[in-house]
């Protein structure tokens, strides 16, 4: 889907209603009513063979009779007529249509999509409520109420949820930039809408209600880009198996375990909420006030001790933090709160406080430098009505510039007594909540969002363990096993792949018979662990297929015979491959871990971390998406501890988390490098003295078959295949490669090495040095959407960056914007040409048609280089710039 076409879809100048009706029970009646009452300025053209006029507007008997081509058509007929209507609209030149009809089966949807593509019609729906664009006065929906203009965009797969949100927003006086019901997402989907809304100046925050996502990779890519610039809040149904099945019935499409969606939303920097109540709360805090928290500590001002304690309990139970008031602030408060000389946080001004005392305490806290986030609570009081308190809050806040005051939220308890106070706060854009728990929960959404955003901009630690990875040898081993017909590898075979990624497995011998097991045991020494080898039995320990601490050869032989007899009774058809024997590893003082890889529908491989056990369920592990770096591995470990599936045990040697991170990154790299590996289970892994020893490993192989339009990994990994060695004009060797997140410090040093003149020519002005967040965005790129090539050379114990070229593709992948800058003391070495050629070649490989760039007239080196590389160069005298343009695609 083209973002350009999406933009056209959401800026219609005329609307046709196909199936318009005068019958109040028909969707065509409500859609016409809403369009006429919404204030839309363009022509509204009802199409109905039954009525001469609908709602007093002249109707047309069919599409061909329309006086001119509508920009948008709303189809309100039943599902059996939709295909022919789309065909007629396409022939009439209408390129955008909303399909209200529900209940289309898989075949009907496929047929509709095929016809729409053939006649070049973009679809919203089917099974949707429609579309509201308040700033255009457009209500092309069968909603029961209207939406006022505002800064939020709401996108939902559920029409019923749309109606609920509209009701809530009307009560809270919250407006929308766009209100979009996507239904079954047959054509327009979440990723295209995120690209559009992420760039829309009228939209300050995006709310999503999702049943399922079909193209996960495109969704993550679009969501991450949008979340960099504005809050994206999501509610995803199907947390339980029954819920997931209901979501499948509702909108179709397969779904994955909820823990995988959690990992995806966090990785994309989005905020996930659990239900509509939390969505409403998060909207008031995060979406209406998208400024990122400076700190996570909360200060509470209350006129009731009990509610203040309730707020504190909720805050601490949810891992929140209370702010510490300075002595200066305490002294100032003690002077205005006569009942107390020991003021602390929460600040209790007592129920008999006058409005004047309330205002004095509020002003002190607003000016206190340690107060960055303030919750103002109020319980109904005859001495000070709630509405009067709300007016005090609004008046006091208006005296302080927004950028200079803390983040403020309110909690007016009660119903009738608090109703007007909440309205007063809403009118002044102050988030307000009914209960202490609701207010604190909303604040913790801000904290979660802040943490997710930090995930997007944290510099990962580097690890020097690449020498433990031999991907080529591992690939050859995998291919050999597949050629031999192996689909399931137990420890003795799996170790032959794992060893190439620095994953150590315990020595394992294999015996085909009980008597051979006896002989192998004598070679290993005692005590022995004996395990059955059979791909037919999922959990061998549950059927006695694993026996530990065997102390002599005869015991090993007898145990092996007994295993075979038990398996013959419980699994008579099981194929037994033999026995594996391992010398018992010392477990005293070691923690037993489990790392696994599962391949999930739409997501591809996902990585699980937990403690050793017999089961392998998402509920028993923390989940992350590959590829992992050291920081992401650290977050996975923290998530496992927070979830309680990885415990901080009291052991002589605690788990070395740095080395565990390194192990996780190597397992991730194995998954990325070897597409024929379908699943992995390392269980248990003994962690002791900084070492990790795998006692049981299982790998499932499945020859990977690429599918058109579908990527194997949910996130594109670092494109190592684009690395190359180059020789510079001074005869030194350098590396040309894509940029990595780990390059941030080298990139900072590179930025600091540039002269003022070079920075001016590159950035068209005198900019300060880049800060961490800016550098993180430059180094932590989405390789599906942009590319930055660097040339680097070894320098002391690290590397230094000599030059950078960037290309940023538009969402349609039609054009790309480029830039190049070379280290000031390295100019004249041919770096500019090398970097530009790499950028051009990359764009050509992606099918980009046009590469464009802008520079200043005084940047003669860049202008001459672009000419030599085939760019057309034109001078823009009005802007004072030089435009460079190269046609590389089908237009060339």
């Amino acid at each position: 889907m083209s973002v350009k076409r999406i933009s056209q879809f959401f800026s219609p100048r005329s609307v046709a209603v196909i199936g318009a009706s005068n019958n109040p029970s028909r969707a065509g009646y409500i859609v016409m009513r809403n369009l006429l009452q919404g204030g839309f300025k363009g022509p509204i053209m009802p199409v109905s063979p039954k009525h001469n006029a609908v709602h007093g507007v002249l109707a047309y008997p069919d599409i061909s009779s329309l006086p001119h081509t509508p920009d948008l058509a709303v189809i309100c007929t039943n599902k059996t007529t939709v295909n022919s209507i789309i065909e007629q609209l396409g022939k009439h030149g209408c390129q955008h249509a909303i399909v209200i009809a529900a209940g289309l089966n898989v075949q009907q949807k496929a047929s509709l999509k095929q016809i729409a593509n053939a006649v070049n019609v973009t679809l919203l729906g089917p099974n949707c409520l429609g579309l509201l664009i308040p700033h255009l006065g457009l209500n092309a929906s069968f909603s029961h109420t209207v939406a006022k203009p505002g800064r939020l965009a709401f996108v939902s797969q559920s029409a019923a949820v749309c109606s609920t949100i509209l009701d809530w927003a009307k009560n809270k006086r919250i407006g929308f930039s766009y209100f979009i019901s996507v239904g079954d997402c047959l054509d327009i989907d979440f990723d295209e809408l995120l690209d559009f809304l992420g760039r829309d100046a009228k939209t300050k925050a995006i709310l999503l209600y999702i049943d399922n996502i079909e193209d996960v990779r495109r969704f993550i890519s679009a969501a991450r880009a949008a979340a960099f610039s504005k809050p994206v809040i999501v509610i995803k149904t199907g947390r339980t198996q029954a819920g997931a099945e209901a979501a499948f019935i509702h909108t179709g499409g397969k779904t994955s375990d909820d823990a995988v969606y959690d990992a995806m939303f966090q990785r994309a920097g989005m905020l996930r909420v659990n239900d509509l109540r939390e969505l409403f709360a998060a909207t008031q805090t995060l979406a209406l006030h998208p400024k990122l928290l400076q700190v996570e500590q909360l200060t509470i001002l209350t006129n009731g001790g009990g509610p203040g304690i309730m707020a504190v309990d909720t805050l601490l139970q949810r891992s929140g933090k209370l702010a510490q008031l300075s002595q200066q602030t305490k002294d100032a408060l003690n002077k205005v709160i006569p009942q107390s000389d020991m003021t602390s946080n929460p600040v209790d001004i007592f129920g008999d406080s006058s409005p004047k005392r309330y205002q004095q305490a509020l002003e002190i806290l607003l000016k206190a430098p340690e107060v960055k986030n303030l919750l103002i609570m109020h319980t109904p009081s005859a001495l000070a009505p709630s509405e009067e308190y709300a007016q005090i809050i609004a008046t006091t806040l208006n005296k302080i510039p927004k950028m200079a005051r803390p983040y403020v939220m309110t909690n007016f308890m009660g119903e009738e007594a608090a109703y007007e106070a909440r309205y007063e706060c809403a009118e002044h854009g102050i988030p307000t909540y009914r209960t202490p728990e609701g207010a604190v929960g909303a604040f913790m959404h801000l904290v979660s969002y802040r943490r997710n955003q930090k995930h997007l901009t944290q510099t990962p630690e580097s690890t020097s363990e690449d020498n433990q990875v031999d991907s080529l040898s591992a690939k050859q081993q995998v291919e050999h096993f597949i050629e031999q017909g192996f689909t399931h590898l137990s420890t003795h075979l799996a170790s032959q792949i794992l060893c190439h990624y620095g994953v150590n497995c315990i020595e394992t011998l294999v015996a085909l018979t009980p008597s051979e097991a006896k002989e192998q045991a004598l070679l290993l020494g005692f005590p022995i662990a004996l395990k059955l080898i059979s791909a037919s039995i999922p959990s061998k320990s549950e059927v006695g297929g694993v026996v530990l601490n065997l102390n002599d050869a005869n015991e090993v032989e007898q145990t092996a015979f007994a295993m075979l007899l038990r398996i013959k009774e419980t699994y008579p058809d099981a194929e037994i491959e033999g026995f594996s024997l391992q010398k018992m590893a010392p477990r005293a003082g070691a923690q037993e871990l489990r790392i696994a890889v599962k391949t999930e529908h739409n997501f591809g491989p996902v990585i699980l971390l937990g403690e050793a056990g017999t089961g392998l369920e998402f509920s028993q592990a923390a989940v992350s998406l590959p590829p992992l770096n050291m920081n992401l591995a650290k977050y996975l470990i923290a998530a496992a501890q927070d979830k309680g599936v990885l415990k901080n045990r009291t052991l002589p040697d605690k788990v070395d988390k740095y080395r565990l991170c390194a192990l996780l990154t190597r397992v991730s790299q194995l998954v990325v490098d070897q597409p024929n590996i379908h699943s992995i289970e390392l269980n248990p892994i003994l962690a002791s003295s900084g070492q990790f020893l795998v006692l049981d490993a299982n790998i499932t192989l499945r020859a990977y078959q690429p599918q058109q339009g579908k990527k194997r990994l949910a996130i594109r990994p670092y494109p190592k295949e684009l690395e190359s060695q180059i020789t510079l004009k001074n005869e030194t060797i350098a590396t040309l490669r894509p940029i990595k997140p780990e390059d941030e410090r080298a990139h900072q040093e590179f930025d600091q090495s540039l002269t003022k003149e070079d920075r001016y020519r590159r950035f068209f002005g005198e900019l300060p040095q880049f800060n961490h967040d800016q550098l993180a965005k430059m180094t932590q790129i989405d390789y599906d959407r942009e590319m930055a090539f660097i040339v680097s050379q070894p320098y002391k114990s690290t590397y230094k960056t000599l030059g950078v070229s960037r290309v940023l593709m538009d969402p349609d992948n039609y054009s790309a914007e480029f830039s190049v800058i070379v280290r000031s003391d390295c100019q004249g070495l041919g770096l500019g040409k090398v970097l530009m050629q790499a950028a051009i070649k990359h764009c050509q490989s992606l099918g980009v048609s046009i590469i464009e760039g802008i520079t200043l007239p005084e940047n003669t080196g860049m202008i001459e280089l672009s000419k030599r590389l085939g760019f057309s160069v034109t001078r823009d005298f009005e802007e004072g710039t030089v435009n460079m343009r190269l046609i590389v695609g089908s237009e060339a």
Side-chain angles (χ1 to χ4, degrees):
M1 177 60 63
S2 161
V3 169
K4 182 178 179 183
R5 287 179 65 194
I6 289 279
S7 302
Q8 293 169 349
F9 197 108
F10 294 118
S11 56
R13 292 167 296 178
S14 60
V15 181
V17 181
I18 317 300
S21 175
N22 285 317
N23 183 344
S25 65
R26 300 288 187 186
Y29 175 92
I30 299 171
V31 171
M32 275 297 297
R33 181 200 66 191
N34 286 347
L35 280 166
L36 292 169
Q37 292 179 354
F40 183 64
K41 304 300 182 185
I44 299 170
M45 299 172 283
V47 175
S48 172
K50 296 181 181 179
H51 306 287
N52 293 327
V54 178
H55 284 278
V57 179
L58 178 67
Y60 302 92
D62 51 43
I63 293 169
S64 61
S65 302
L66 290 171
H68 63 84
T69 301
D71 289 335
L72 177 66
V74 186
I75 303 173
C76 302
T77 62
N78 65 59
K79 63 182 180 181
T80 59
T81 63
V82 171
N83 284 9
S84 62
I85 290 171
I86 292 295
E87 234 175 339
Q88 294 172 53
L89 287 170
K91 291 175 182 176
H92 199 66
C94 178
Q95 295 184 335
H96 309 111
I98 299 172
V99 181
I100 302 291
L104 278 74
N105 60 33
V106 174
Q107 292 77 18
Q108 288 170 327
K109 289 178 186 178
S111 174
L112 175 58
K113 181 71 179 293
Q114 185 178 12
I115 290 170
N117 287 343
V119 296
N120 196 28
V121 175
T122 304
L123 300 178
L124 182 66
N127 188 21
C128 74
L129 184 78
L131 170 67
L132 294 87
I133 309 178
H135 66 272
L136 295 180
L138 178 75
N139 186 352
S141 76
F142 64 96
S143 65
H144 69 294
T145 187
V146 297
K148 61 181 286 190
R151 301 184 298 173
L152 304 181
F154 181 72
V155 184
S156 173
Q157 280 183 299
S158 168
V161 169
C162 286
S163 299
T164 304
I165 294 288
L166 282 171
D167 246 10
W168 168 80
K170 185 176 182 180
N171 177 265
K172 295 292 183 182
R173 302 183 186 182
I174 292 172
F176 296 91
S177 55
Y178 298 90
F179 198 95
I180 307 164
S181 173
V182 291
D184 293 345
C185 297
L186 187 63
D187 191 6
I188 295 177
D189 208 341
F190 285 102
D191 52 288
E192 295 99 346
L193 292 169
L194 282 166
D195 275 326
F196 169 70
L197 296 170
R199 291 163 171 77
D200 180 63
K202 295 180 290 296
T203 300
K204 301 301 180 187
I206 303 169
L207 314 180
L208 305 177
Y209 181 95
I210 297 172
D211 285 330
N212 61 69
I213 297 167
E214 192 61 30
D215 195 327
V216 168
R217 181 140 159 184
R218 288 176 61 183
F219 177 87
I220 293 177
S221 189
R224 189 172 186 271
F228 256 127
S229 59
K230 59 191 68 172
V232 182
I233 306 170
V234 58
I235 179 170
K236 165 69 176 67
T237 56
R239 280 188 171 273
T240 63
Q241 182 61 36
E245 290 170 2
F248 169 75
I249 294 169
H250 182 220
T251 53
K254 296 180 181 178
T255 189
S256 293
D257 192 276
D258 192 69
V260 184
Y261 278 98
D262 255 343
M264 177 189 70
F265 294 137
Q266 186 180 58
R267 188 74 170 265
M270 307 163 77
L271 173 66
R272 183 180 188 179
V273 294
N274 296 320
D275 50 42
L276 288 177
R277 179 185 58 80
E278 285 194 0
L279 181 65
F280 298 156
T283 299
Q284 289 192 78
T285 50
L286 184 60
L288 294 180
H289 302 271
K291 176 182 166 186
L292 204 62
L293 292 183
Q294 296 178 41
V295 298
E296 296 181 3
Q297 288 77 15
L298 180 65
T299 304
I300 299 170
L301 172 64
T302 179
N303 71 334
I309 295 169
M310 292 165 64
V312 171
D313 285 345
T314 304
L315 181 72
L316 299 182
Q317 286 167 2
R318 296 189 61 166
S319 302
K321 302 172 185 175
L322 274 173
Q324 296 294 318
L325 298 181
S326 67
Q327 191 59 50
Q328 182 181 357
T329 301
K330 290 179 182 179
D331 292 343
L333 288 168
N334 287 334
K335 291 177 182 178
V336 301
I337 307 175
Q339 295 99 321
S340 174
D341 58 359
M342 296 179 62
T343 300
S344 62
N345 187 13
V347 179
D348 184 3
I349 61 172
F350 302 100
D352 62 350
S353 292
S354 66
K356 181 180 178 182
R357 182 190 301 169
Y358 198 93
Q359 183 170 2
Q360 288 173 327
L362 177 58
E363 288 175 343
I364 290 169
L365 291 175
L366 289 175
K367 293 175 183 177
E370 70 272 22
V371 176
K372 301 297 183 184
N373 307 298
L374 178 62
L375 169 58
I376 306 170
M377 304 178 66
H378 182 267
T379 55
S381 168
L383 297 174
S386 300
E387 187 178 1
E388 187 174 348
Y389 271 63
Q391 290 168 350
I392 289 172
I393 294 169
T395 303
T396 306
L397 287 177
N398 284 338
K399 296 176 183 177
I400 305 172
K402 280 189 177 182
M403 298 303 294
R405 70 192 190 201
Y407 178 82
V408 175
M409 51 200 301
T410 62
N411 162 221
F412 284 92
M413 301 182 69
E415 286 303 327
E416 186 176 345
Y419 197 74
E420 290 301 323
R422 295 193 200 115
Y423 260 126
E424 183 74 21
C425 288
E427 283 294 308
H428 288 85
I430 304 168
T432 185
Y433 304 91
R434 293 177 62 252
T435 65
E437 296 85 356
V440 172
F443 174 73
M444 290 308 298
H445 288 140
L446 287 170
V447 172
S448 297
Y449 176 68
R450 179 178 187 262
R451 291 172 182 172
N452 285 357
Q453 286 291 299
K454 288 181 72 175
H455 287 185
L456 289 176
T457 58
Q458 284 201 352
T459 307
E461 298 177 51
S462 296
T463 174
S464 58
E465 298 189 337
D466 287 348
N467 57 353
Q468 296 192 39
V469 174
D470 184 353
S471 59
L472 181 59
S473 296
K475 181 181 179 183
Q476 292 170 345
Q477 189 66 63
V478 168
E479 290 174 349
H480 170 73
F481 283 135
I482 289 177
E483 288 170 3
Q484 296 298 311
F486 287 97
T487 58
H488 178 85
L489 308 178
S490 295
T491 309
H492 65 292
L493 297 178
S495 61
Q496 297 177 38
I497 297 171
L498 295 169
C499 67
H500 296 300
Y501 284 83
V503 180
N504 298 318
C505 296
I506 193 169
E507 183 184 2
T508 304
L509 299 182
V510 176
L512 300 179
T513 64
S515 58
E516 191 178 340
K518 176 181 178 179
E519 296 172 8
Q520 298 284 32
L522 291 169
L523 293 175
L524 272 178
F526 299 94
I528 287 287
L530 181 69
K531 303 176 184 178
L532 194 71
I533 302 175
S534 174
S536 309
I537 304 172
S539 182
K540 300 170 189 61
S541 59
E542 292 181 4
V543 293
V546 178
V547 179
L548 307 178
N549 291 307
L550 300 175
N551 290 300
D552 66 61
N554 290 327
E555 189 180 10
V556 169
E557 185 178 27
Q558 292 167 8
T559 302
F561 272 120
M563 273 187 192
L564 292 177
L565 291 173
R566 280 196 303 273
I567 297 305
K568 191 172 182 180
E569 292 178 2
T570 54
Y571 285 91
D573 298 326
E575 184 178 338
I576 308 301
E577 300 170 40
F579 306 90
S580 68
L581 295 91
Q582 300 168 343
K583 189 170 182 180
M584 290 295 298
R587 299 193 179 200
Q591 188 163 352
E592 298 187 15
L593 310 177
R594 176 186 64 200
I595 297 174
V597 175
K598 280 188 171 184
T599 297
E600 283 286 291
H601 177 76
N602 288 343
F603 286 87
V606 297
I607 299 173
L608 294 83
L609 172 66
E611 291 198 333
T614 56
L616 184 60
E617 301 299 328
F618 284 103
S619 61
Q620 300 170 320
V623 183
S624 190
L625 302 176
L628 298 181
N629 57 31
M630 292 293 282
N631 253 4
L632 293 170
K634 190 188 301 180
Y635 292 138
L636 178 58
I637 295 169
Q641 291 173 328
D642 290 343
K643 196 174 180 179
V645 295
L646 188 65
K647 297 179 174 61
N648 281 318
R649 301 188 180 278
T650 305
L651 297 169
D653 291 313
K654 292 201 171 185
V655 174
D656 187 324
K657 291 183 181 177
Y658 179 85
R659 292 193 178 184
L660 179 55
C661 286
L663 175 61
L664 286 165
T665 60
R666 294 199 300 276
V667 172
S668 168
Q669 192 61 48
L670 170 60
V671 171
V672 170
D673 291 343
Q674 311 299 335
N676 295 323
I677 292 181
H678 186 72
S679 68
I680 302 172
E681 184 175 0
L682 311 178
N683 178 28
I685 305 170
L686 289 189
S688 178
S689 302
Q691 302 298 315
F692 298 90
L693 181 65
V694 178
L695 303 189
D696 201 355
N698 289 282
I699 294 178
T700 303
L701 301 179
R702 185 179 297 175
Y704 175 65
Q705 300 294 332
Q707 298 179 33
Q708 186 176 4
K710 190 170 183 179
K711 307 294 185 183
R712 172 176 164 262
L713 295 164
I715 300 170
R716 183 177 179 180
Y718 172 75
K720 191 175 179 65
E721 67 277 8
L722 299 181
E723 292 183 350
S724 63
Q725 297 295 308
I726 60 171
T727 303
L728 304 181
K729 287 184 177 180
N730 62 0
E731 302 301 323
T732 61
I733 304 297
T735 301
L736 171 69
R737 63 171 176 82
I739 203 165
K740 297 179 182 179
E742 291 86 351
D743 290 317
E744 182 181 327
R745 291 185 182 88
H747 210 67
Q748 182 179 40
E749 190 275 331
F750 169 76
D751 179 52
Q752 293 169 349
S753 76
L754 299 174
T755 64
K756 286 186 178 181
E757 292 76 13
D758 284 337
R759 286 180 62 81
Y760 184 86
R761 285 198 292 264
R762 168 62 186 89
F763 303 112
F764 296 15
E766 293 186 10
L767 293 182
Q769 301 290 333
F770 293 127
N771 60 31
H772 161 67
D773 287 349
Q774 292 168 321
L775 288 165
K777 290 180 181 180
M778 292 177 180
T779 53
Q780 299 183 33
I781 65 174
D782 180 350
Y783 299 115
D784 272 334
R785 289 176 169 250
E786 60 182 306
M787 183 57 69
F789 288 99
I790 66 169
V791 174
S792 67
Q793 284 183 328
Y795 179 73
K796 295 182 179 179
S797 60
T798 180
Y799 290 83
K800 71 176 179 180
T801 300
L802 310 185
V804 185
S805 65
R806 293 183 181 274
V807 280
L808 178 62
M809 282 68 75
D810 68 9
D812 303 331
N813 206 43
Y814 174 74
S815 66
E817 184 179 342
F818 82 87
S819 63
V820 179
I821 188 164
V822 174
R823 193 181 185 99
S824 299
D825 57 0
C826 292
Q827 293 175 9
L829 298 178
L831 287 166
K833 183 178 179 181
V834 168
L835 289 163
M836 271 303 301
Q837 287 176 327
I840 294 169
K841 184 178 179 181
H842 181 69
C843 288
Q844 288 173 325
S845 71
L846 296 178
V848 172
S849 297
I850 298 170
I851 305 175
E852 299 174 300
I854 303 173
T855 191
L856 294 173
E858 51 264 42
N859 193 354
T860 55
M862 184 70 251
I863 294 169
E864 290 304 315
L865 173 61
S866 63
K867 286 180 180 179
R868 290 198 301 273
L869 293 174
F871 283 78
S872 62
V873 177
T874 57
R875 180 81 178 264
D876 187 331
F877 290 95
E878 187 174 336
E879 295 291 333
T881 58
V882 174
N883 299 323
M884 300 162 287
R885 194 170 192 263
L886 178 67
I887 299 176
V888 293
S890 57
E891 295 185 8

